[in-house]
Amino acid sequence: MKVLVVGSGGREHAMAWKLAQSPKIQQVYVAPGNGGTAKDKNLVNVPITDLAVLRQWALDNGIGLTLVGPEAPLAAGIVDDFRAHGLRIFGPTQAAAQLESSKAFSKAFMQRHGIPTAEFDTFSDASLAHAYVDRKGAPIVVKADGLAAGKGVVVAMTLAEAHEAIDFMLLDNTLGVAHNAGGARVVIEEFLQGEEASFMVLCDGQNVAALATSQDHKRLLDKDEGPNTGGMGAYSPAPVVTAEVHARAMREVILPTIRGMEKDGITYTGFLYAGLMIDPQGRIKTLEFNCRMGDPETQPILMRLKSDFLEVLLAATSEGLDQLEMEWDRRVALGVVMAAHGYPLNPRKGDAITGLPQDEGDAMVFHAGTTEKDGQILTSGGRVLCVTALADSVKQAQQKAYQTASPIAFDGMQMRRDIGYRAIKN
């Protein structure tokens, strides 16, 4: 079977790498791919980003299964279009992808279906948003309503930060948010305390299968300081997701979401990612939904997946998830992101990357924002690489990941030195 992975990030590199291990696959294509997928002899990059052109290419080349990595093509309706032309594709429809593409839709959906989440309100008028923040006080969370590549959230610890975020998102659009219909909007919600975890499942329209648990580090700097990013590193499993929390997440968040979408006339297929805040008593609230696997959580999760990833996706595209038993490596996987100079607001592109090691079974360098030019790998995005390692404990996986990352260099490189510290501390 020929398989197509849509996207160019670290998540897509990991997906393509894992799919290429299946003996049932003839070829894995990545559109458009990156420098890492370009240099992998088992993968072929397809330099197409126009979705209609890509659909025609998939038809012409006999693609048996398409897997969509990032949110933008999902929000643009790639699943609807591919299915309309008889192509097998895994992901949510455009209507279902609103759970991620619109924070306002998502919050209203949670409120309507009794899914635990933070108290909130939605604004398109900056003066009303400022008045709300003054009334509620800080800390408070300001979110852009639209796709912002993981950077449209400001956890404002002071009123001044909250007011600045409102102006950023409603007046300046410094973050480059892809606004939904009706123009710029923000969701402002209460600040929740606890520990965050990423809870991801596959949905086939009827059944749900949970992936291994994971936790990522959103802040740019050590000790979870600095601005929010798309994620500076992640590890799996997440000790904070106990068996009780896992059962609660399925019961209170995941299943009500799938059933709620059904009640609203939308069948949910694809990955569903619930960002959870877990308080010290093990109670949970939903921070956000994503309609795809998280990045960089995908890299550690797929390092631990022992099952054939193709078999998993074939089950998920034929309402067969209830027959599926996924097998996981008992070891810990931990990934460390190496980011570009100026990330998250103004990442610099074009810096040469040196010292890339050979990939090994238990230590992989997944490429995200890279491109190959004249045989050299250059930076081409904010998060450049995710160095991921497998080992018997969080501490050992952390050591191995940083050891693997140590020879890699590029100008202005940013990298946290404490990924996994919460799990080691526990």
Side-chain angles (χ1 to χ4, degrees):
M1 182 183 278
K2 295 178 185 174
V3 176
L4 171 64
V5 176
V6 179
S8 63
R11 166 186 45 226
E12 291 77 47
H13 187 185
M15 287 172 161
W17 164 82
K18 194 69 191 176
L19 280 165
Q21 295 170 17
S22 173
K24 297 179 179 174
I25 284 184
Q26 181 186 341
Q27 185 63 62
V28 178
Y29 298 94
V30 193
N34 58 39
T37 53
K39 74 183 188 77
D40 188 324
K41 62 184 188 309
N42 297 315
L43 308 175
V44 175
N45 279 1
V46 178
I48 299 172
T49 52
D50 182 284
L51 299 186
V53 176
L54 187 61
R55 177 246 301 149
Q56 191 56 50
W57 180 91
L59 286 166
D60 294 344
N61 286 274
I63 297 300
L65 173 71
T66 299
L67 174 61
V68 187
E71 59 274 25
L74 296 170
I78 185 173
V79 170
D80 311 68
D81 184 46
F82 272 49
R83 282 185 187 161
H85 289 83
L87 289 163
R88 186 174 192 150
I89 184 168
F90 187 60
T93 60
Q94 187 173 34
Q98 288 179 96
L99 271 181
E100 174 169 11
S101 63
S102 171
K103 295 279 192 293
F105 173 92
S106 171
K107 293 294 284 193
F109 172 87
M110 286 189 263
Q111 196 173 48
R112 195 163 62 247
H113 294 287
I115 295 161
T117 190
E119 180 194 323
F120 74 100
D121 210 338
T122 305
F123 301 93
S124 52
D125 182 306
S127 60
L128 293 177
H130 287 304
Y132 181 81
V133 162
D134 283 333
R135 199 162 65 249
K136 291 291 183 182
I140 198 162
V141 181
V142 185
K143 296 180 175 181
D145 178 41
L147 295 179
K151 297 185 289 292
V153 177
V154 172
V155 180
M157 301 313 287
T158 66
L159 283 174
E161 285 175 347
H163 290 308
E164 184 184 37
I166 289 165
D167 289 341
F168 249 28
M169 293 176 193
L170 286 181
L171 305 178
D172 308 338
N173 196 18
T174 310
L175 295 169
V177 176
H179 295 312
N180 293 306
R185 282 194 300 187
V186 290
V187 172
I188 302 178
E189 60 184 42
E190 69 173 313
F191 173 76
L192 298 176
Q193 283 188 303
E195 205 168 334
E196 274 189 60
S198 310
F199 198 92
M200 284 179 249
V201 301
L202 301 110
C203 310
D204 64 12
Q206 286 295 317
N207 311 292
V208 174
L211 293 167
T213 62
S214 60
Q215 191 164 11
D216 79 336
H217 294 260
K218 288 281 186 219
R219 300 288 191 137
L220 182 69
L221 306 173
D222 285 6
K223 297 181 184 165
D224 293 321
E225 293 180 353
N228 256 3
T229 72
M232 292 301 292
Y235 54 93
S236 173
V240 69
V241 184
T242 60
E244 188 185 336
V245 169
H246 194 286
R248 189 173 262 184
M250 290 295 283
R251 187 176 67 245
E252 296 179 12
V253 178
I254 299 298
L255 293 174
T257 299
I258 302 304
R259 303 295 168 246
M261 291 295 269
E262 210 170 5
K263 277 180 195 159
D264 292 352
I266 301 168
T267 300
Y268 195 97
T269 56
F271 293 108
L272 178 64
Y273 166 134
L276 303 178
M277 182 65 82
I278 304 162
D279 75 10
Q281 288 74 44
R283 291 175 303 219
I284 58 176
K285 285 196 176 176
T286 313
L287 295 169
E288 63 174 356
F289 285 117
N290 292 327
C291 294
R292 33 83 193 181
M293 284 186 80
D295 189 346
E297 298 98 325
T298 301
Q299 292 87 311
I301 287 173
L302 291 184
M303 285 281 282
R304 291 187 60 222
L305 180 64
K306 292 178 85 170
S307 305
D308 184 322
F309 193 32
L310 176 66
E311 294 287 355
V312 171
L313 295 172
L314 291 177
T317 48
S318 58
E319 292 192 3
L321 284 178
D322 55 333
Q323 308 296 315
L324 183 73
E325 190 74 44
M326 281 182 278
E327 193 184 347
W328 300 97
D329 195 311
R330 59 169 183 77
R331 291 176 293 171
V332 173
L334 184 143
V336 176
V337 167
M338 307 176 93
H341 173 84
Y343 180 74
L345 280 181
N346 298 298
R348 189 171 70 201
K349 299 177 180 180
D351 289 311
I353 305 169
T354 59
L356 287 166
Q358 289 295 312
D359 292 329
E360 299 170 24
D362 53 3
M364 282 289 301
V365 180
F366 294 111
H367 289 234
T370 70
T371 188
E372 187 182 38
K373 189 178 179 186
D374 302 327
Q376 193 170 31
I377 302 291
L378 306 176
T379 64
S380 66
R383 288 178 296 173
V384 177
L385 305 166
C386 181
V387 182
T388 312
L390 270 171
D392 287 328
S393 69
V394 179
K395 184 73 182 165
Q396 287 171 309
Q398 184 191 60
Q399 287 170 341
K400 188 175 222 170
Y402 282 108
Q403 194 180 340
T404 306
S406 62
I408 304 171
F410 52 90
D411 281 351
M413 183 182 80
Q414 301 184 79
M415 178 175 69
R416 280 185 56 162
R417 297 282 167 184
D418 66 345
I419 300 301
Y421 82 92
R422 285 177 180 274
I424 294 166
K425 185 180 66 180
N426 289 344

